[in-house]
Amino acid sequence: MRVVDDPTIPLAQRIRGLEMPWNRVLGSTAGPAGAATALGPWHPQEFTAECVETIPEAGDMMTFVFRRMDGAPLAFRSGQYMNIDFPIYGAEAEPESRSYSISSAPTEPWTFSVTIKRDPAGLVSPWAHESIRPGTVLEMLGPVGAFHLADYDRRARYLLLAAGAGITPLMSMIRTIHSLPGQADVILLYHGSAPDRFAFADELDFLEKADFRIQVVYCLGDRKQAAKKGSAKWTGRSGRLSADLLDEVVPDANGRQVFACGPEGYLNTATDCLARVGVDDTSIFMEFFSGDRATRLEYAEEVALAGEIAEEFASSAEEYYEQQPAAFDLYEPEHDSGGAVETVGAPLEAVPADAAVPVDAPAALAEAGAGETEVDGESRHADPDGFATVGEGELTMAFLRSRVNVRVAPDVVILDAARRAGVRIGANCQEGMCGSCKVVRLEGEVEMNHQGGIRAREIDAGKILPCCSTAKTDLVIDA
């Protein structure tokens, strides 16, 4: 419960709005501030990290604290997630890849935390809870995701909606806001299934008392559960998310940015309720922690390197750091002909070029096991000579699954030509960033100018992003 403001005590004075610590630094060209560019949110990187602490949380959750083996800080934006390889079948077998949100704040970058909810029926989360201990080293890729606070927000008025494990990325946001100066107004509406199932409750209670900018409202979704517990044991609110509840808890919701995270059903309800209380779509940001196969595949496609920087880091640490600002040298790990060298002196292990990339959405979604779709053997052996041919141009692209040949000029983007011909290829950003349009190139050469939406080993395996590729020769594409 928040203490009633005492009019005799003057209010704390702060600068206006919130600004992330790297925001001004990234614009610095010289001087001591330039060194802090190493803490700016660059691009996803592949690295190994060592677990240094495990912290049990309520609601069958466990927080795992990691540090990078190369000694560098992890630069990320609060709300993003990591893709982690879990060697559940042993060190020599193919790992299982899952994505989990970062729960710590980027303002403390020398360690970072991921919080994993245990699903008894899951594959990875039980293994993580039982096997990851201080000293465990895992391969990671990240940070990834567009669900995060802005680098600068002049108004900084937020409504955070969490259900169950959906608290994880929002906890990173709250910790970040608490650590920064500036005016802010944050209301967290946190739904749980039972009074003892609210993860981070002790810390949230402390932050609410210590920081007048933060307000936390706990709510049991099941009214029967609340009644059963009795008013003596449960003094918070009860009832599922509704427009009436929002009106009561946060009557000025339509003047706030909303970040919501939780199961698909919860977020569908949130979408409806927020519209009813007048919140514009442009002010709503959501992270799904469960969903149908399409949702899981969207997350799977998001997990990719962002730009040539990360690719070259995987193959040559020296070339990688040449592309960074000079001040980044402060955090450059040792490297040799084999690549980056860990702080203990052992070379990092290379990822096999033919390794599969089964990945899923963060947290609870990670247990659903959405992997890549295997290529249909029949489509690989289909004869393009029998396909209908459309379009004009000197080059031919044969789309095996769609059974169509598309004539195209060398300067035409493959995705554009494919769509005009009726070939169905899903795509989101269409700028080579998200990886959602990834397809397999079986024959031919392309010129690809991506922004990080594909791993180097995927390119070696023949995959391309048609949204940012043009044909250099005739092509055969599995799409």
Side-chain angles (χ1 to χ4, degrees):
M1 204 60 146
R2 294 177 67 84
V3 178
V4 177
D5 294 335
D6 185 342
T8 65
I9 301 177
L11 294 175
Q13 295 182 343
R14 293 175 179 258
I15 61 173
R16 189 177 186 86
L18 285 181
E19 187 170 19
M20 299 300 157
W22 56 79
N23 196 46
R24 293 172 185 250
V25 171
L26 292 179
S28 176
T29 57
T37 53
L39 303 180
W42 290 97
H43 299 286
Q45 300 172 21
E46 291 184 86
F47 58 89
T48 56
E50 176 190 22
C51 177
V52 296
E53 184 179 8
T54 62
I55 306 171
E57 309 283 1
D60 294 327
M61 298 173 72
M62 179 83 75
T63 292
F64 300 92
V65 184
F66 292 94
R67 65 182 174 191
R68 289 178 57 147
M69 294 294 286
D70 58 13
L74 178 66
F76 66 96
R77 291 180 169 92
S78 53
Q80 291 188 300
Y81 59 92
M82 300 295 299
N83 182 247
I84 306 173
D85 285 345
F86 295 90
I88 64 175
Y89 305 115
E92 302 302 321
E94 187 68 30
E96 292 287 342
S97 295
R98 296 290 188 270
S99 296
Y100 290 102
S101 292
I102 304 170
S103 55
S104 55
T107 49
E108 298 179 357
W110 301 106
T111 61
F112 62 96
S113 302
V114 296
T115 302
I116 300 176
K117 179 180 176 63
R118 182 187 181 110
D119 179 359
L123 176 65
V124 169
S125 64
W127 183 92
H129 278 236
E130 295 165 8
S131 304
I132 299 178
R133 296 292 181 266
T136 300
V137 177
L138 300 176
E139 294 186 356
M140 300 190 179
L141 166 66
V144 184
F147 180 80
H148 57 74
L149 294 177
D151 288 349
Y152 175 67
D153 192 331
R154 187 170 180 270
R155 299 185 68 225
R157 302 181 71 245
Y158 307 114
L159 168 60
L160 309 182
L161 301 177
I167 187 63
T168 307
L170 303 184
M171 196 67 200
S172 176
M173 295 181 183
I174 290 176
R175 286 167 166 165
T176 300
I177 293 169
H178 175 64
S179 69
L180 295 175
Q183 295 178 4
D185 183 351
V186 184
I187 296 179
L188 168 65
L189 178 56
Y190 185 3
H191 271 83
S193 59
D196 59 350
R197 305 284 290 178
F198 291 93
F200 310 108
D202 290 342
E203 182 178 355
L204 288 170
D205 291 343
F206 167 77
L207 292 175
E208 184 179 31
K209 293 177 181 177
D211 194 332
F212 68 90
R213 302 173 297 174
I214 298 172
Q215 179 181 352
V216 181
V217 179
Y218 300 99
C219 188
L220 289 180
D222 191 339
R223 291 182 174 85
K224 295 180 180 178
Q225 173 78 1
K228 208 183 300 182
K229 292 295 178 180
S231 58
K233 294 184 179 180
W234 178 249
T235 58
R237 295 179 180 273
S238 63
R240 299 181 182 277
L241 184 63
S242 66
D244 290 340
L245 179 62
L246 290 176
D247 270 333
E248 186 178 350
V249 172
V250 52
D252 60 345
N254 63 354
R256 297 173 181 267
Q257 292 187 66
V258 181
F259 290 86
C261 187
E264 183 181 20
Y266 174 82
L267 295 185
N268 289 339
T269 299
T271 300
D272 178 64
C273 295
L274 290 168
R276 291 173 60 188
V277 298
V279 180
D280 189 82
D281 288 346
T282 59
S283 298
I284 301 173
F285 308 90
M286 292 188 172
E287 182 86 311
F288 286 82
F289 265 37
S290 64
D292 57 17
R293 178 171 177 79
T295 302
R296 295 194 297 269
L297 289 176
E298 286 179 11
Y299 276 100
E301 298 294 353
E302 282 184 3
V303 179
L305 298 179
E308 296 296 330
I309 295 177
E311 285 182 15
E312 296 192 10
F313 178 77
S315 61
S316 172
E318 182 175 6
E319 292 180 13
Y320 170 72
Y321 282 100
E322 285 176 355
Q323 298 184 46
Q324 305 299 325
F328 200 72
D329 294 346
L330 293 176
Y331 307 105
E332 178 177 349
E334 293 297 324
H335 56 267
D336 55 23
S337 59
V341 177
E342 300 176 6
T343 53
V344 295
L348 297 172
E349 293 185 5
V351 179
D354 59 351
V357 194
V359 291
D360 306 291
L365 178 57
E367 300 309 321
E372 293 185 34
T373 303
E374 294 184 1
V375 176
D376 186 341
E378 181 179 354
S379 69
R380 282 183 179 273
H381 297 93
D383 184 7
D385 291 339
F387 296 172
T389 300
V390 299
E392 297 181 355
E394 54 266 45
L395 300 176
T396 300
M397 300 187 298
F399 292 93
L400 298 189
R401 291 182 184 270
S402 301
R403 306 185 69 83
V404 63
N405 291 320
V406 181
R407 301 288 296 177
V408 66
D411 60 344
V412 174
V413 175
I414 293 174
L415 180 63
D416 294 341
R419 285 185 165 178
R420 285 196 296 268
V423 178
R424 299 183 63 180
I425 299 177
N428 289 324
C429 74
Q430 301 187 46
E431 295 180 354
M433 296 178 63
C434 70
S436 62
C437 64
K438 200 176 300 173
V439 295
V440 177
R441 169 185 50 83
L442 300 176
E443 296 179 15
E445 300 297 327
V446 302
E447 181 175 343
M448 182 165 53
N449 298 303
H450 68 91
Q451 303 298 316
I454 189 168
R455 296 179 187 236
R457 68 185 189 218
E458 292 178 306
I459 296 175
D460 294 340
K463 295 183 179 181
I464 64 170
L465 297 178
C467 71
C468 57
S469 299
T470 54
K472 297 174 64 177
T473 67
D474 290 345
L475 299 173
V476 178
I477 297 174
D478 190 78

